[in-house]
Amino acid sequence: MSWAEYAPDEEHVVTGLPPVLVKDVEDKAGELVRAAEALYVHGRAYEGASPQGGSALVADGMFVYQVVPRHERVYVLQVTAW
């Protein structure tokens, strides 16, 4: 897996959020990418069921993500600040 990506795009997902929250989300998404790389070694050749999406907590917020091994991506779908 090469990197995390915002879906549908960065502007839609993180516009208006504090920069420190966006950095925390990107750091945690990087950890998820490294874990997915280890778990789904075959990447695009992966033939199993798609993993269930999840949520992750970061300082001052949370985000919802989806791992898609065949795309070799971790998609960040929504970020919520509190």
Side-chain angles (χ1 to χ4, degrees), residues 32-66:
L32 293 168
V33 167
R34 287 187 293 281
E37 286 174 331
L39 189 58
Y40 304 107
V41 176
H42 300 294
R44 295 186 188 277
Y46 177 73
E47 294 182 8
S50 290
Q52 196 170 7
S55 59
L57 296 175
V58 294
D60 299 322
M62 64 165 287
F63 66 98
V64 177
Y65 66 91
Q66 178 68 51

Side-chain angles (χ1 to χ4, degrees), residues 18-25 27-28 56-63 79-82:
V20 69
L21 176 59
V22 175
K23 181 184 179 325
D24 288 346
V25 167
D27 289 347
K28 180 67 91 172
L57 296 175
V58 294
D60 299 322
M62 64 165 287
F63 66 98
V79 179
T80 304
W82 54 61

